[in-house]
Amino acid sequence: MKLPAALRLSPEWAPYVFLSPFVVLFAVFGVFPLGFSLYLAFQSWEPTSGLSAMEFVGFDNYVFALKDEWFWKSLKNTAWLAIASGVPQHVVAIPLAYFIHSSFKTLRNGVVGAYFMPYITSTVAIAILFSSLFSTDYGLINVGINMLAQVPVLSWFLPANPVDWLNDPASIKPAIAMIVFWRYVGFNVVLYLAALQTIPADIYEAATMDGAGRLQQFFYITLPSLKPMIFFGVTLSVIGGLQLFEEPFILTGGRGGSDQSGMTTAIYLYRMAFDFNDFGAASAMSWLLFVVVVVLTWLTNRAFRPRGPSA
Amino acid sequence: MRERIQRGRLRRRSPWLCLSLCLFMLSVPSVQAQQSLIVAAYPAVDEIVKSALPAWKRLHPNVEVKVVSRQFTDHHTAMTTALSTSFYLPDVMALEVGYVGRFAQGGGLDDLSKPPYDIKRFESRWVPYALQQATNRKGAIVAAPTDIGPGTLLYRTDVLAKAGVSEADLTQSWEGYVATGAKIKAATGSYLMAHARDMKDILIRTGIQPGEGLYFDSQSNVLVTSPRFVRAFELARKVRQGKLDARVGAWSNEWSEGFKRGTIATQMTGAWLAGHMNNWLAPSTRGLWRAAPLPERAFAAYGGTFFAIPRATPAANKPLAWEFIQLMTLDRNVQLSAFKTQDAFPALLETYDDPFFDQPIEFLGGQVARVGWRDAARRISAVTVHKQDAFADEVINTELDKVLDRNKDIATALADAQRLLQQRAHR
Amino acid sequence: MKITSDRLAPWAAYVVVGVGALIMLAPFYFMFVFATHSRTEIFSLPPPLFFGDDFLSNLKILTDRMPFWRNLGWSLYVALASTLLTLLFCSLGGYAFAMFEFKFKNALFGLVMGTMLLPSFMNMIPTFMIMDALGWIDQPKALYIPGAASAFGIFLMRQFVSSSIPKELIEAARMDGCGELSIYARIVLPLLKPALGTLGLITFIASWNNFIGPLIVMRSPEMYTLPLALRSLQSPVNTEWGALMTGSAIATLPLVVLFVLSSRQLISGLTAGAVK
């Protein structure tokens, strides 16, 4: 059914028309907050006094942030957590998705469902559950470690005493990383599965006929075809990891943990704004974080697409 | 009126319709309008407000009160947001004592000491420290107190008996408290307290000079190297070295379990904890706890609720808002009913002669504890607040952890804290 | 050598995947277990391992404290609207970014990605200002309309379109005389099904679990969505753990149902090679 000539879109106008709904919403709900935040970064503002209480202070907030011990500490925490939770996610999700894709037929939905459930669980539930599971004396994680430590070989790797997950600065980071991994590995599996759908089956058939084994097919066919999705997934993990907020927030009760070892930059921002009532500094820090994320995203971009955009 | 028109304008499509409607409304002589008052609160203050509504109805049958209740933290975040933009402010705002200090520094709340409120004429009717707590550095009083949390020492009488020590041993002096703790540990294996931090929290509040805040003085000089901090840190370290604290955080599973099993012998807290223990924290320990004054005649407050009026609320609503606040904070019946149903310890002195105070509390083995709490409430002294108090709290707790867990030297720790706080004292 | 490892590896892999699945599900299981216990039991150590009998009393506390079913209804409505709008706007936009060249394309995309890089809570105050100016406070559309301009959505769609729809196909359709809109509707959309399914699922879940948005915009408890409503059970000193777990468990069920329904769309079923 063709539209009358008058209403038909030419290829020239089409992108503008297609994008316009998105752009309109974006201009209102995306650009204004962005601009406001940028403006705020140059002001000194104690929010409860109202909008008129903003005072221009130039780069003062940025200077403060760059000199602030806690800001740098939060960046280090964030980097550690982003890597420790992000890398395993993909290293595990890709082979897992491939395995599920090729080996499970009837049980496929169930298995993927199981891995995806953590992503669905609400933060409230996660907070309560993991506080209980990570409890020092009776939490099931310590109980599990204890049981595994009875096995002779494993006992070399596992701690002998119950780990004080939530209170010991050294162990709160691994605890957070574990939760983040648990929560998002299924999400990545679903993404990779969707991408695996688009690889034509005949390529595999041809390869099998040429005598390539499963492992070879994985490395030479699957991985390269997945490159766009890996780029997508890794970018999301970089961005998400650097902005990590929810999991450390709920595990440390919004404070960042003992010695601020669980305090990511996003949490520190939040505390600057809502606990310490210093919105100007919080905005400045969010833009500094923004710079870090932009740089890393650009590096990811370069790593995956060295020669410019390609399909 | 203006508010309602403002909201209506944005919803109507045609400006002409709206204009004619407005003109019509203005021209019609005062129809008996149902005014409404918006009160923003959080659990359980919302229940207290709702139970006062019948009394309000008798005073102002035409004014409907809408209670907007949010979760505790969400409420304060929403209030921050509303104050920052001056949109959708309630007429009356409930605030917890921890937030009053922060909100008081800005100009967002009305100064109740000025006319037409003149709150100072009621000053003597409330517990002295409460009104001071809502006073900012410029002398403006931004909120009226409705309930307070007098500090008390709850202890397990059975554990003490087993160790052969008495309440007096605990409360005589802080050093005595710690020494008694060692005896308790030796005899029963129970810890003296949940975390050494609890003791540090009280000790830094003792010996505050007039004009000083907790961490900063009125000139924003940092006070953390003063003797009260050193003493607090030293005693906390002694507690930790003697393995007298259970190293559990408040409200964690281990904490409540410690109460149930008697492995935590004492807890310094607000009087309201006894109610929680009775209801759900450790109901099986009924009769085993007693309440004592804090050691060495220290008096501190744990919690408390205030009511404030935002400056940007429409002027037409302010007189009613003020009347509402007076009902909540100055009416003897409202205060007592909140006490009896929600365990909200009254700030109003007139209520203190009510026979309810003399009733025995079953959870505390029939002890008439409220009398002691009443006495303590009168003696709590106010601590002036500083904008960076929340941050300072965090820094001091971190340094304390380093002293306790990693044997950091106390002088260095306090000096480091001093340095960190210096950077932000004047922001 | 190859034969042995081919047989051994899958068997071991099945075990590992199975154990992994159990670990993934364990906290979920506990959520349902906790939902059937009173808060004194949950708060004790060790925590309960099997189902209890307090489900109904928890449910009662839940429905007493808040208009639970109504909040559930609002959550559903907002999530559905959000998903539909987002799918529409982002697929259109992603297609445009991937397949066309136009002025300011890269700058615009960069700007869009830029918004993804700022923490969402920093937007609370400006968002509040916008919502008030539009008069959308306390209305559900304040929740689902802004989200339709999802940077994540556009990013995903653009990736998918550029990696699985060849330009030649579009060119061929154009030469056949197809209008742009019908190219989009009849060629591009069907090919995007896995991506649409994924984005739809993720958007629904994000909308369902979102509580910052409703916190800023909603003022009356009857208009709350679930996560915000459930928070009213929490307070620093007086949380109703049992009811909270019950509410959370019930809140998770629609997501599970949605996943089951869409996973067939997403995972099984699609023939690879539909491109040719």
Side-chain angles (χ1 to χ4, degrees):
Chain A
M1 190 194 58
K2 291 196 185 159
L3 293 168
L7 285 177
R8 232 181 297 164
L9 276 173
S10 72
E12 227 188 283
W13 284 105
Y16 296 103
V17 174
F18 286 170
L19 267 175
S20 52
F22 183 88
V23 169
V24 165
L25 283 185
F26 178 71
V28 175
F29 297 107
V31 175
F32 176 66
L34 205 65
F36 185 85
S37 175
L38 189 57
Y39 177 72
L40 196 49
F42 295 96
Q43 312 284 328
S44 160
W45 193 36
E46 199 281 305
T48 58
S49 316
L51 286 171
S52 51
M54 289 196 212
E55 244 184 79
F56 182 73
V57 288
F59 284 98
D60 190 49
N61 288 325
Y62 289 99
V63 170
F64 170 77
L66 289 171
K67 282 210 228 147
D68 186 12
E69 264 175 56
W70 279 25
F71 180 64
W72 291 105
K73 206 193 232 184
S74 73
L75 281 176
K76 273 190 236 144
N77 290 339
T78 309
W80 193 100
L81 281 171
I83 298 176
S85 60
V87 168
Q89 272 178 44
H90 293 277
V91 165
V92 169
I94 298 178
L96 186 59
Y98 180 68
F99 184 68
I100 294 178
H101 175 76
S102 55
S103 309
F104 283 88
K105 296 294 178 221
T106 37
L107 281 180
R108 188 186 280 180
N109 289 352
V111 174
V112 177
Y115 280 89
F116 199 67
M117 283 299 116
Y119 183 73
I120 297 179
T121 319
S122 76
T123 2
V124 166
I126 293 179
I128 302 174
L129 293 167
F130 277 91
S131 299
S132 180
L133 290 174
F134 274 118
S135 164
T136 317
D137 295 319
Y138 297 98
L140 291 171
I141 294 187
N142 274 343
V143 168
I145 293 181
N146 207 7
M147 285 192 338
L148 285 177
Q150 311 294 340
V151 176
V153 176
L154 292 177
S155 64
W156 297 341
F157 301 103
L158 295 170
N161 296 319
V163 182
D164 191 359
W165 293 104
L166 299 176
N167 294 315
D168 185 356
S171 53
I172 201 146
K173 283 206 192 59
I176 297 173
M178 276 193 249
I179 298 186
V180 177
F181 172 77
W182 172 80
R183 205 157 181 217
Y184 292 103
V185 72
F187 173 81
N188 284 301
V189 165
V190 168
L191 281 185
Y192 287 126
L193 264 177
L196 283 169
Q197 301 294 316
T198 61
I199 304 177
D202 13 345
I203 298 189
Y204 288 114
E205 282 163 21
T208 319
M209 286 203 293
D210 281 347
R214 280 264 292 261
L215 216 58
Q216 284 177 301
Q217 286 180 20
F218 177 72
F219 278 106
Y220 291 109
I221 301 179
T222 317
L223 275 185
S225 315
L226 276 181
K227 224 174 168 196
M229 192 48 97
I230 297 180
F231 165 66
F232 180 72
V234 169
T235 306
L236 281 184
S237 285
V238 165
I239 296 177
L242 289 172
Q243 294 196 311
L244 200 58
F245 177 79
E246 270 191 25
E247 287 79 13
F249 190 84
I250 58 183
L251 207 60
T252 60
R255 308 201 132 206
S258 182
D259 199 13
Q260 296 81 47
S261 56
M263 188 169 75
T264 59
T265 308
I267 291 193
Y268 186 40
L269 280 188
Y270 180 84
R271 301 207 69 197
M272 279 303 284
F274 290 101
D275 281 346
F276 309 143
N277 280 24
D278 194 346
F279 259 80
S283 277
M285 286 181 194
S286 71
W287 284 99
L288 287 172
L289 181 66
F290 175 87
V291 167
V292 172
V293 178
V294 163
V295 167
L296 285 172
T297 312
W298 181 77
L299 284 175
T300 314
N301 209 350
R302 287 294 300 266
F304 275 89
R305 292 138 120 229
R307 265 161 245 233
S310 59
Chain B
M1 194 66 166
R2 203 183 80 222
E3 205 182 345
R4 246 192 293 145
I5 294 174
Q6 210 174 7
R7 290 182 206 170
R9 162 166 63 88
L10 295 167
R11 290 214 186 108
R12 307 273 196 276
R13 297 255 170 79
S14 160
W16 293 113
L17 179 60
C18 170
L19 187 59
S20 30
L21 215 58
C22 293
L23 285 173
F24 175 72
M25 283 170 107
L26 286 171
S27 63
V28 171
S30 48
V31 180
Q32 198 55 289
Q34 254 281 17
Q35 245 190 307
S36 68
L37 208 61
I38 302 180
V39 178
Y42 46 91
V45 180
D46 57 352
E47 295 299 322
I48 298 176
V49 170
K50 283 184 195 155
S51 54
L53 290 185
W56 175 257
K57 264 250 138 26
R58 270 175 272 137
L59 287 173
H60 291 275
N62 280 332
V63 183
E64 188 208 340
V65 171
K66 262 188 75 180
V67 182
V68 177
S69 176
R70 294 180 179 86
Q71 187 256 355
F72 178 76
T73 326
D74 291 346
H75 162 82
H76 290 98
T77 310
M79 290 301 107
T80 308
T81 313
L83 281 170
S84 69
T85 55
S86 305
F87 299 151
Y88 286 96
L89 284 165
D91 300 306
V92 176
M93 184 189 294
L95 290 174
E96 202 253 0
V97 67
Y99 287 89
V100 165
R102 266 180 262 184
F103 284 31
Q105 303 310 314
L109 301 172
D110 248 350
D111 183 358
L112 299 175
S113 62
K114 298 233 163 35
Y117 310 113
D118 292 313
I119 197 175
K120 285 218 176 113
R121 57 196 158 115
F122 303 125
E123 192 169 3
S124 56
R125 293 174 68 179
W126 287 306
V127 173
Y129 90 94
L131 205 57
Q132 254 194 298
Q133 202 68 56
T135 310
N136 72 10
R137 277 190 287 181
K138 302 188 199 121
I141 304 179
V142 303
T146 181
D147 64 62
I148 57 179
T152 184
L153 180 72
L154 295 176
Y155 66 90
R156 284 284 293 255
T157 188
D158 55 332
V159 173
L160 255 62
K162 205 163 158 207
V165 294
S166 70
E167 178 185 311
D169 294 328
L170 283 176
T171 59
Q172 185 79 337
S173 70
W174 287 106
E175 282 79 5
Y177 179 62
V178 175
T180 313
K183 287 195 202 137
I184 294 177
K185 185 86 199 287
T188 66
S190 293
Y191 295 102
L192 178 63
M193 61 181 77
H195 200 290
R197 198 186 301 145
D198 299 341
M199 195 165 75
K200 178 267 299 172
D201 282 336
I202 308 254
L203 275 167
I204 58 179
R205 282 169 169 77
T206 57
I208 299 182
Q209 306 303 322
E212 270 181 14
L214 196 52
Y215 302 103
F216 301 91
D217 70 9
S218 47
Q219 261 72 48
S220 287
N221 294 320
V222 184
L223 301 171
V224 300
T225 44
S226 54
R228 53 188 163 98
F229 279 90
V230 178
R231 189 182 180 211
F233 271 53
E234 278 172 357
L235 275 175
R237 182 171 59 183
K238 213 162 165 198
V239 165
R240 179 58 62 88
Q241 281 170 344
K243 299 207 190 349
L244 301 178
D245 71 328
R247 305 177 68 159
V248 294
W251 306 105
S252 67
N253 289 12
E254 286 91 345
W255 187 68
S256 66
E257 198 64 18
F259 291 147
K260 288 182 200 149
R261 298 183 192 210
T263 49
I264 297 177
T266 70
Q267 179 72 41
M268 292 177 274
T269 177
W272 40 263
L273 191 68
H276 285 296
M277 281 195 193
N278 186 35
N279 288 336
W280 63 280
L281 265 182
S284 52
T285 56
R286 191 167 296 147
L288 299 175
W289 293 88
R290 299 285 183 275
L294 293 170
E296 218 173 273
R297 300 173 57 74
F299 297 103
Y302 287 81
T305 314
F306 291 74
F307 285 111
I309 302 180
R311 195 164 37 89
T313 305
N317 294 1
K318 286 193 192 180
L320 279 173
W322 176 231
E323 282 216 39
F324 186 80
I325 294 183
Q326 287 179 75
L327 176 69
M328 295 304 300
T329 60
L330 291 169
D331 183 296
R332 186 198 156 96
N333 292 326
V334 171
Q335 287 265 304
L336 274 174
S337 128
F339 192 22
K340 291 176 188 166
T341 50
Q342 297 289 338
D343 214 10
F345 205 95
L348 187 64
L349 290 171
E350 282 149 39
T351 58
Y352 284 15
D353 57 8
D354 191 271
F356 184 63
F357 283 87
D358 301 313
Q359 278 176 16
I361 300 181
E362 198 202 313
F363 183 77
L364 297 176
Q367 182 184 2
V368 183
R370 295 191 185 101
V371 172
W373 296 335
R374 178 177 64 189
D375 190 49
R378 287 201 181 102
R379 299 194 197 187
I380 304 173
S381 46
V383 180
T384 43
V385 286
H386 187 277
K387 188 171 177 220
Q388 299 294 339
D389 272 349
F391 182 70
D393 220 22
E394 191 86 8
V395 168
I396 291 291
N397 280 336
T398 305
E399 291 303 326
L400 183 68
D401 280 339
K402 290 189 191 154
V403 166
L404 296 177
D405 295 332
R406 300 191 219 163
N407 287 322
K408 187 170 179 184
D409 167 60
I410 291 184
T412 323
L414 290 174
D416 283 345
Q418 170 106 353
R419 192 174 34 92
L420 259 176
L421 293 176
Q422 206 77 51
Q423 272 181 341
R424 305 164 89 110
H426 294 277
R427 277 192 73 79
Chain C
M1 210 50 220
K2 213 199 263 186
I3 305 172
T4 334
S5 71
D6 261 359
R7 244 202 264 148
L8 190 55
W11 181 87
Y14 278 109
V15 169
V16 170
V17 170
V19 170
L22 284 177
I23 296 180
M24 290 289 142
L25 284 177
F28 202 67
Y29 165 74
F30 280 109
M31 179 168 73
F32 282 93
V33 166
F34 283 10
T36 58
H37 287 273
S38 73
R39 67 172 161 171
T40 328
E41 289 161 25
I42 295 176
F43 225 62
S44 63
L45 298 169
L49 292 177
F50 294 112
F51 294 95
D53 52 5
D54 285 299
F55 180 68
L56 287 176
S57 59
N58 281 341
L59 199 58
K60 181 157 191 310
I61 300 178
L62 197 61
T63 46
D64 280 345
R65 290 275 213 111
M66 64 179 84
F68 183 68
W69 303 111
R70 198 177 158 146
N71 294 138
L72 187 73
W74 279 123
S75 275
L76 260 175
Y77 171 69
V78 169
L80 278 172
S82 180
T83 307
L84 287 172
L85 267 185
T86 307
L87 283 179
L88 183 63
F89 288 13
C90 288
S91 60
L92 277 172
Y95 172 56
F97 270 118
M99 284 292 161
F100 294 87
E101 288 304 322
F102 50 93
K103 259 188 174 178
F104 304 123
K105 171 172 157 168
N106 287 329
L108 184 59
F109 194 74
L111 190 61
V112 169
M113 291 299 289
T115 55
M116 234 163 95
L117 305 183
L118 281 179
S120 62
F121 52 79
M122 292 307 294
N123 291 344
M124 275 173 75
I125 290 183
T127 307
F128 187 56
M129 290 164 70
I130 299 173
M131 291 305 168
D132 176 72
L134 289 171
W136 284 4
I137 295 282
D138 225 12
Q139 290 185 49
K141 57 176 176 249
L143 293 178
Y144 60 76
I145 294 189
S150 154
F152 170 79
I154 271 222
F155 188 30
L156 178 66
M157 284 294 145
R158 188 186 91 143
Q159 265 323 94
F160 225 83
V161 170
S162 61
S163 69
S164 59
I165 300 183
K167 264 199 154 117
E168 304 83 51
L169 193 66
I170 311 289
E171 290 299 335
R174 266 195 211 122
M175 289 206 284
D176 277 349
C178 257
E180 291 302 321
L181 267 180
S182 52
I183 294 182
Y184 165 76
R186 288 149 87 204
I187 301 180
V188 176
L189 271 190
L191 286 178
L192 278 183
K193 272 213 194 129
L196 285 176
T198 311
L199 182 61
L201 186 63
I202 292 172
T203 308
F204 190 92
I205 294 174
S207 167
W208 189 264
N209 282 338
N210 180 25
F211 95 90
I212 287 193
L215 174 62
I216 308 174
V217 158
M218 295 307 189
R219 296 187 3 113
S220 21
E222 310 84 55
M223 302 301 293
Y224 285 0
T225 54
L226 271 183
L228 191 61
L230 284 176
R231 277 172 76 78
S232 65
L233 287 170
Q234 286 178 287
S235 89
V237 299
N238 203 14
T239 307
E240 288 285 351
W241 299 103
L244 191 55
M245 287 278 86
T246 307
S248 303
I250 298 181
T252 314
L253 290 176
L255 295 180
V256 175
V257 167
L258 177 72
F259 179 77
V260 166
L261 290 178
S262 67
S263 64
R264 259 173 248 148
Q265 178 75 278
L266 214 59
I267 294 159
S268 49
L270 263 201
T271 48
V275 179
K276 289 297 182 297

